[in-house]
Amino acid sequence: MKIRKSVLQEALKVLGKVVSQTSPVEIQRSVRFLGVGAQVWLTATDGVESVTIEVAGDAGGDGGFCGRL
């Protein structure tokens, strides 16, 4: 999966606001990358809210991965 650094940086600014919210309850935060052809979606969740952003990139096929924070 290829995403320009500047595009990824802008997307992570927005997604970072979701995963950095404080909560008194233990929650699982994650960021998911999903790609199909030339379309790439980044989704961040704090266990309650989710935000998805479509960015320009090359998925190199179909697939994705998820990272727990």
Side-chain angles (χ1 to χ4, degrees):
M1 186 174 296
K2 295 179 183 178
I3 303 171
R4 283 194 347 240
K5 184 178 178 180
S6 60
V7 171
L8 181 60
Q9 185 177 16
E10 287 301 312
L12 291 177
K13 283 181 187 178
V14 175
L15 298 177
K17 292 177 182 179
V18 173
V19 297
S20 66
Q21 293 181 25
T22 58
S23 171
V25 184
E26 182 179 332
I27 55 177
Q28 294 193 9
R29 296 175 171 99
S30 65
V31 175
R32 179 179 184 206
F33 291 74
L34 176 63
V36 178
Q39 296 177 301
V40 179
W41 296 274
L42 285 70
T43 302
T45 183
D46 65 359
V48 177
E49 296 180 325
S50 292
V51 174
T52 301
I53 298 174
E54 184 176 351
V55 297
D58 179 11
D62 297 349
F65 57 92
C66 184
R68 204 170 117 196
L69 305 173

